[in-house]
Amino acid sequence: MIGRNCRFLQGPQTDSRDVDRIREAIRRAQPLYVELLNYRKDGQSFWNGVLLRPIRTASGTVTHFVATLRDMSERRHTEESLERSARLHRLLVEASGGMTVFAGPDGQLRAPLPEFETFTGLRYEDYRSGDWSAVIHPDDRRKFTESRAAAINTPKECTCVFRLWHAASGSWRHAEMRML
């Protein structure tokens, strides 16, 4: 579509705020990346990744703009599917009374876990490093540490059954942890 304005791709659900962002980038002669819901000739919608760049002379004067377009529909659908899966996973974990823990390869936890804090009585600053030893039964600590290391160092699921401190009852409770 050399030399053509892409306005003809807009349709009923194209976000006018994104179109305004494009106009503003052109007015200010600034580069911009935006993803728009656009429409094909047959009316089918698709996500269009638009990279807009001003072309300048050696003195800095903008002579024209170049826009590169890329169909981003597959990526958008994949992201939506992952978000649905994550929501479903959270619902299943909540319904089962379990907990989900996200840790980096170094064992550092990525976010506070309110249900873990309620269960064990620990605060985030006490366990964010990945060291939960204070709430794992002393007889189970080595097994837990080895299982976690195996999960971090191998691309397979590892399971560990251990006793975890339950603050509300003041007693140890059996827990099963699956680590990927």
Side-chain angles (χ1 to χ4, degrees):
M1 301 185 306
I2 296 174
R4 291 196 60 189
N5 184 308
C6 296
R7 194 174 301 127
F8 69 92
L9 295 172
Q10 295 174 22
Q13 292 184 341
T14 301
D15 191 331
S16 62
R17 293 171 298 191
D18 290 331
V19 175
D20 290 342
R21 287 178 59 208
I22 292 172
R23 284 190 188 110
E24 184 64 16
I26 291 170
R27 189 182 73 70
R28 292 178 178 233
Q30 295 177 332
L32 173 73
Y33 178 78
V34 65
E35 291 183 12
L36 298 160
L37 188 62
N38 280 166
Y39 294 84
R40 293 184 172 86
K41 194 175 189 176
D42 65 2
Q44 181 183 2
S45 65
F46 71 101
W47 284 101
N48 193 2
V50 179
L51 177 61
L52 180 69
R53 293 208 171 266
I55 303 301
R56 300 178 187 274
T57 64
S59 64
T61 304
V62 174
T63 59
H64 55 286
F65 286 83
V66 172
T68 306
L69 311 177
R70 183 172 183 195
D71 187 342
M72 303 303 288
S73 300
E74 185 176 337
R75 195 205 76 221
R76 284 285 191 124
H77 294 309
T78 300
E79 287 173 354
E80 290 168 5
S81 178
L82 287 171
E83 287 173 15
R84 278 192 304 276
S85 293
R87 281 194 308 274
L88 177 59
H89 180 260
R90 280 192 300 276
L91 289 172
L92 289 171
V93 168
E94 288 170 10
S96 71
M99 292 179 257
T100 301
V101 177
F102 292 100
D106 59 357
Q108 288 260 343
L109 299 182
R110 295 189 177 157
L113 304 163
E115 57 275 350
F116 181 76
E117 293 173 13
T118 300
F119 191 93
T120 64
L122 284 181
R123 296 180 323 258
Y124 183 53
E125 52 271 8
D126 297 329
Y127 65 86
R128 75 180 298 164
S129 68
D131 180 11
W132 308 354
S133 58
V135 294
I136 296 173
H137 193 281
D139 295 343
D140 298 336
R141 288 177 187 159
R142 181 176 175 183
K143 175 174 55 173
F144 175 81
T145 302
E146 289 171 355
S147 293
R148 188 174 70 179
I152 290 170
N153 296 322
T154 61
K156 64 179 183 173
E157 180 180 322
C158 295
T159 302
C160 181
V161 177
F162 58 97
R163 288 165 284 180
L164 188 63
W165 182 251
H166 184 244
S169 67
S171 63
W172 297 102
R173 300 280 175 96
H174 282 81
E176 178 182 49
M177 180 176 283
R178 291 190 183 120
M179 298 170 267
L180 302 174

